[in-house]
Amino acid sequence: MTAVTFPATRWSLIARLPEHPQHVAVLVGLYADAIGAYLAMKLSGERRERIEDTVQEVLLDLLAKPEVLAKATPGSGSRFRYYLMNLAWLSARNHLRHARRRDHSSLDARSSDGGPARIDALADESSAAETGDAAMDRAWALSVVRQALDDLQRWTADGTLEPEAFAVLEANLIGGQGLREIGVAMGMSAATCSRRLARARMMLQRTIADRLRLAGELGANDDAGRACAVLLESLAVRC
């Protein structure tokens, strides 16, 4: 995870992106995995290679547009990620249109708007209609949880977390197994299994909270347990 942190006046920082383009890479990098997951959901009927190419082109497009990112504005229920994912989808449609010119195919009715799209067009429109898009919330939650789990896996390599604790968490969180079932499979008592799950879950909550604070999704004093619950709720998983 990047060591760069944003000040409390995060929206003000976003508004100053044209004068501080060095922050663009940090912002886009923070949301890159979520953007990729979101576009993969929206482009589920496309070939895998085309999806991967489109995601890379979209991220490069966003990096080159600090003045467009700076037009995001705070509001009731607004999230910078909603604005960013809308821009990403608009850019993806541009790239798909270009890719399909050779075979004269078209985007489906959901994505076609009858004319060429521009990535800066959304900056002049309200993105309120998309802020409730469950695909955006799920993509964001998946990216944060995956990155948090990657942190934990790295910590097992340097001795910060016992490998058994990570294995218990993975079996419980991803595999959906109960503690008794995990204990039997791993040859440990229920009490030991419970302690290791609690330790791994605490570390998972902490790294999730760190990412949410970095993204401005969580206040500095908000509880890490609450952060974990909010994220996993989007995935219908309980921490």
Side-chain angles (χ1 to χ4, degrees):
M1 185 166 56
T2 178
V4 177
T5 57
F6 296 117
T9 54
R10 184 169 164 277
W11 282 104
S12 296
L13 180 146
I14 290 171
R16 296 195 304 272
L17 283 177
E19 292 78 38
H20 301 277
Q22 69 273 17
H23 291 300
V24 174
V26 178
L27 277 171
V28 173
L30 180 64
Y31 294 97
D33 288 343
I35 290 170
Y38 176 63
L39 293 182
M41 290 179 194
K42 298 278 278 186
L43 304 173
S44 58
E46 294 288 341
R47 298 191 315 272
R48 176 179 161 185
E49 295 79 8
R50 176 167 282 179
I51 292 175
E52 291 175 350
D53 289 345
T54 299
V55 170
Q56 292 303 313
E57 290 170 345
V58 165
L59 292 175
L60 289 173
D61 205 10
L62 292 172
L63 286 169
K65 301 248 182 340
E67 72 284 355
V68 177
L69 301 188
K71 292 183 180 180
T73 56
S76 178
S78 72
R79 294 287 187 274
F80 180 67
R81 58 186 167 93
Y82 290 144
Y83 180 82
L84 194 57
M85 288 187 197
N86 274 312
L87 289 177
W89 175 231
L90 193 61
S91 178
R93 294 190 312 186
N94 277 337
H95 291 294
L96 284 173
R97 284 191 181 91
H98 179 74
R100 291 176 176 183
R101 284 174 185 168
R102 291 187 301 271
D103 56 12
H104 304 289
S105 59
S106 62
L107 294 175
D108 60 30
R110 177 182 60 180
S111 59
S112 178
D113 60 6
R118 292 169 51 231
I119 191 172
D120 57 348
L122 186 65
D124 300 318
E125 302 171 2
S126 169
S127 60
E130 290 270 347
T131 58
D133 193 334
M136 292 185 185
D137 291 329
R138 184 169 179 80
W140 168 250
L142 278 170
S143 73
V144 172
V145 172
R146 284 170 178 162
Q147 291 172 30
L149 287 170
D150 286 345
D151 282 346
L152 264 65
Q153 195 160 33
R154 284 193 293 271
W155 291 339
T156 64
D158 66 15
T160 303
L161 179 69
E162 305 90 334
E164 295 82 3
F166 179 77
V168 171
L169 176 71
E170 196 171 34
N172 178 254
L173 182 66
I174 300 173
Q177 299 178 41
L179 286 179
R180 181 172 298 179
E181 183 182 2
I182 297 171
V184 170
M186 297 185 65
M188 65 178 68
S189 68
T192 299
C193 194
S194 179
R195 285 195 299 271
R196 287 181 173 167
L197 176 62
R199 173 166 167 73
R201 185 173 59 188
M202 178 187 68
M203 297 181 75
L204 180 70
Q205 290 173 348
R206 188 175 69 195
T207 190
I208 285 176
D210 287 346
R211 282 185 164 79
L212 291 183
R213 290 186 181 109
L214 182 63
E217 300 270 348
L218 193 73
N221 298 318
D222 286 339
D223 181 71
R226 175 180 171 275
C228 183
V230 168
L231 250 293
L232 299 183
E233 184 178 319
S234 299
L235 306 177
V237 175
R238 291 294 176 267
C239 184

